[in-house]
């Protein structure tokens, strides 16, 4: 068994682990990656997300990401998952890490508006509404998603000793801000963004309007997380919270692979009094080191028992401007990119590290660009 | 590792294996069960199936089976999965064996008409038409199902060293007869039935009419299995064939858990020139010993390399008439009941055997009956 330091993976919120990673928690023989795709009309508020080249395309973002994991190209839309100026979807990192490591994956559809052309696990949910108007989704759908998630999680945990859960939902940091606020967590100016100029004021305004329209005050729903989601959340949240619940109750280990959005999942689980043992967060250093958000502080308000692992993907060293963008505040994370990179590094016992990943990501990026040439 | 004879599991078609089971093929650390649910309007031909208490209920059979695996009761229909005279769905055996053994499972929906209220893997398919009229489904849907199955199978094989695949599709032995005939396998009077009076003449007539309406002759499509399915098959077939293909190409092991229907899958795979190594059939002794069908002969026409394992569930020794019915020619098999029982026995290294299973099945049966009291 591997002991010692892993290149390019560090724990950033637990001092005893920070210099030398605690490999015990992350060691896994049979990990699996679950990508939960979803949609909230909150993403339609102008200026809220970089995902999707234009507003009409946002709904294709998450199914296109899911298709990219399987095929290396998109199917539901005849386009490459790259902004016109060359910034790729983080799914390019996820696909590369999955292929290098041989880690299997499944996609869960929890309310995406366009269905991906792949085999996917359906939770039979509607997409989420714009939380600005004070209503996101029905409570019955939330309960169903949590129940289905729990059922799925317990099946996954029977054969996989570690489950990495990522998400793709444009607008998801705004709904995270909403639910965290309803649950009494001070998240203003702390949630991350897919853009270097984090539109905090716009997010704060959308959440404020939503709370006003629903007649809800900060922290008022701290003991009623399902209502918090129904007012200010999105369909990804109860689905992911349920999957985590199913796994942890079975005694399994889970990594929430994502940025500040994943704190809303932990807040929901904590409010439901679900145990949090065996749980960690895994993300990119681009989220962790982001001066415009504060993942560590958000999590600290919730618990001291969930470690945050981050990985440096050396994107700044890439010769590709589109990949350098990750290190310059664009995209940063998504589709579980950071978490699955961490597991690829850990599972390989260090054979895979940031530089090897970067070279492989560059190759994948060139392949995608070739398609439009 | 367990060596030697396993009580209540035998191999019936390979002489060197018949007295002492070849445990090597079946040994598995991390098996998973996949239940593929589907629908063909062929089941609406009066007299063709026992599934569903009346013709309007047939479409609920497979989703209700899938729900039963998760919950121990049905959700999409307010009914117990038992015929009015007490004969239960074979899902009662499957659920019991899954629970006793701790084997995980996932449900794949390949064209069921009613969707189950569970998390399920969607192949986004339409249900199959009545093959009597010479058209079952579009080729494009068949190709998609095979592709999705292959994608899913390769993911499953990465973490599960053995995959058991069962099915629930009323009317499925008639479509099996259809596809086998189109592929040049003499299957008349050889396919099984959920009833003791096997309606062979009705099945033969439906397939004859279908072939006539499509202007197809026996064996004419032996090199074109997708067209054979599109004329005389059902949506379960390309989905299951694809999953098997994905697993075997990855080097994994698969058990087709079912009766004569599974021979149509092997015929399709053989016609596609897919390798068959690592493949076996697992079923109940009620199918294997059925004087009104001939599983061994069907398979022999296709290959000598696929062993058939069967298990005796001692239903005749049950005090419950509804369970005795399995040994009297009713139901016999379905929802992977026989195969998953075999894996439960093998995985437990003989700790679980037919008698233990029977007691647990009786308990489950009583629980279900209590619901209607």
């Amino acid at each position: 068994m591997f002991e010692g330091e892993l290149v390019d993976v560090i724990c950033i919120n637990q001092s005893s682990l920070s210099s030398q990673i605690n490999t015990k928690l992350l060691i896994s023989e049979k990990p699996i990656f679950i990508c939960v795709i979803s949609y909230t009309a909150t993403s339609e508020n102008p200026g809220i997300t970089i995902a999707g080249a234009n507003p009409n395309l946002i709904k294709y973002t998450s199914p296109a990401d899911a298709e990219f994991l399987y095929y290396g190209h998109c199917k539901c839309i005849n386009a490459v998952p790259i902004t016109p100026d060359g910034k790729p979807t983080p799914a390019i990192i996820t696909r590369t890490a999955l292929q290098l490591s041989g880690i299997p994956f499944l996609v869960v559809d929890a309310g995406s508006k366009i269905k991906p052309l792949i085999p996917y696990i359906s939770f039979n949910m509607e997409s989420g509404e714009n939380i600005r108007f004070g209503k996101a989704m029905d409570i019955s759908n939330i309960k169903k998603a949590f129940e289905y998630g729990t059922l799925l999680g317990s099946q996954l945990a029977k054969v996989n000793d570690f489950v990495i859960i990522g998400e793709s939902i444009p607008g998801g940091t705004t709904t995270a801000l909403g639910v965290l606020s309803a649950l009494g967590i001070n998240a203003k100016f702390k949630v991350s963004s897919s853009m270097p100029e984090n539109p905090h004021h716009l997010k704060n305004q959308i959440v404020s309007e939503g709370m006003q329209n629903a007649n809800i005050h900060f922290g008022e729903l701290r003991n009623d997380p399902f209502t918090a989601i129904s007012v200010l959340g999105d369909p990804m949240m109860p689905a992911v919270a349920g999957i985590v619940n199913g796994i942890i109750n079975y005694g399994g280990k889970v990594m929430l692979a994502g940025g500040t959005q994943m704190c809303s999942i932990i807040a929901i689980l904590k409010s439901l009094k679900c145990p949090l043992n065996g749980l960690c967060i895994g993300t990119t250093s681009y989220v962790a080191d982001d001066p415009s958000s504060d993942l560590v502080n958000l999590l600290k308000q919730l618990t001291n028992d969930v470690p945050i692992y981050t990985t440096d993907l050396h994107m700044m060293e890439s010769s590709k401007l589109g990949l350098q963008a990750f290190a310059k505040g664009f995209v940063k994370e998504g589709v579980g990119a950071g978490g699955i990179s961490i597991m690829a590094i850990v599972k390989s016992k260090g054979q895979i590290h940031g530089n090897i990943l970067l070279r492989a990501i560059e190759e994948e990026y060139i392949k995608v660009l070739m398609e439009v040439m």
Side-chain angles (χ1 to χ4, degrees), chain A:
Chain A
M1 200 179 283
F2 181 84
E3 296 289 343
E5 201 156 351
L6 283 168
V7 179
D8 296 321
V9 176
I10 58 168
C11 181
I12 59 167
N13 67 333
Q14 303 201 341
S15 55
S16 64
L17 300 176
S18 57
S19 62
Q20 179 171 323
I21 195 164
N22 182 345
T23 51
K24 245 188 199 159
L25 178 69
L26 290 179
I27 286 268
S28 162
E29 292 292 316
K30 299 275 186 188
I32 190 169
F33 174 59
I34 303 295
C35 179
V36 179
I37 61 171
S38 187
Y39 185 81
T40 166
T42 309
S43 63
E44 295 164 17
N45 291 292
I48 213 75
T49 180
I50 198 177
N54 77 49
N56 293 328
L57 297 182
I58 297 174
K59 59 180 178 289
Y60 291 96
T61 305
S62 59
D65 278 342
E67 290 166 354
F68 190 83
L69 294 185
Y70 270 111
Y71 306 116
H73 57 88
C74 306
K75 278 198 156 187
C76 65
I77 184 167
N78 186 15
V80 289
I82 294 185
T83 61
D85 59 342
K87 300 179 185 75
T89 167
I92 206 166
I93 300 171
T94 312
R95 176 174 159 87
T96 304
L98 287 169
Q99 292 205 315
L100 273 185
S101 63
I103 296 171
F105 70 97
L106 293 170
V107 172
V108 170
D109 171 43
S112 69
K113 211 165 179 177
I114 304 287
K115 300 308 178 194
L117 300 175
I118 56 166
Y120 60 83
I121 300 174
S122 170
F123 277 21
N124 239 318
M125 292 171 75
E126 288 175 22
S127 57
E129 294 172 44
N130 188 342
I131 64 168
R132 170 168 246 154
F133 305 113
K135 170 124 175 60
M137 53 192 296
D138 288 338
I139 286 272
S140 62
N141 259 315
I142 296 167
K143 286 184 179 163
K144 180 174 78 174
F146 189 79
E147 184 193 3
Y148 284 11
T150 303
L151 289 172
L152 177 63
S154 67
Q155 296 301 328
L156 292 174
K158 282 182 188 170
V159 73
N160 306 282
D161 58 3
F162 204 108
V163 183
I164 303 119
I165 310 176
E167 52 65 42
S168 176
I169 176 169
T173 55
T174 307
T175 47
L177 172 64
V179 165
L180 286 164
S181 302
L183 296 176
I185 307 299
N186 177 11
K188 276 187 184 172
F189 302 98
K190 294 187 171 66
V191 291
S192 185
S193 168
S194 52
M195 298 173 288
E197 295 295 316
N198 195 328
H200 283 302
H201 290 286
L202 177 58
K203 292 179 187 179
N204 293 343
Q205 193 198 329
I206 290 168
V207 170
S208 286
E209 279 183 39
M211 291 178 103
Q212 232 166 349
N213 284 324
N215 199 20
I216 296 290
H217 299 97
F218 178 86
E220 192 180 327
L221 299 173
R222 67 179 74 239
N223 297 315
D224 190 358
F226 286 174
T227 301
I229 299 169
S230 79
V231 176
L232 295 157
D234 64 55
M236 177 278 286
M237 294 173 174
V240 171
I243 298 171
V244 173
N245 182 51
I247 295 163
I248 291 186
N249 279 322
Y250 192 84
K253 295 189 288 188
V254 199
M255 177 190 283
L256 289 167
T260 49
Q261 278 169 274
M262 292 307 187
C263 290
S264 70
I265 306 298
I266 295 174
I268 291 160
L269 289 165
K270 192 183 163 196
S271 177
L272 289 168
K273 300 188 175 36
C274 299
L276 299 178
N277 48 308
L279 182 64
C280 66
I281 285 180
T283 191
T284 62
S285 58
Y286 311 121
V287 164
D289 301 341
D290 174 23
S292 83
S293 65
D294 198 341
L295 174 64
V296 172
N297 176 286
L298 271 182
L299 188 61
K300 203 172 183 175
Q301 291 183 59
L302 290 163
T303 174
N304 287 315
D305 299 333
V306 174
I308 301 172
Y309 298 103
T310 75
T311 184
D312 178 359
L313 293 169
H314 299 265
M315 292 294 196
M316 214 35 221
E317 297 158 30
S318 175
S319 57
K320 317 291 168 210
L321 285 175
L323 295 178
Q324 277 186 24
F326 279 90
K328 291 176 177 166
F330 293 95
V331 191
K332 298 189 191 83
E333 171 62 284
V335 199
I340 198 69
S341 296
I342 290 168
M343 184 49 76
I345 292 169
V346 172
K347 186 164 175 272
S348 77
K349 301 183 167 55
Q351 299 279 68
I352 297 171
H353 51 71
N355 276 319
I356 288 181
L357 264 170
L358 178 61
R359 296 303 152 229
I361 292 164
E362 284 177 335
E363 278 174 35
E364 189 72 39
Y365 182 65
I366 291 165
K367 257 191 242 167
V368 175
L369 282 182
M370 295 290 274
E371 279 185 46
V372 274
M373 282 182 183

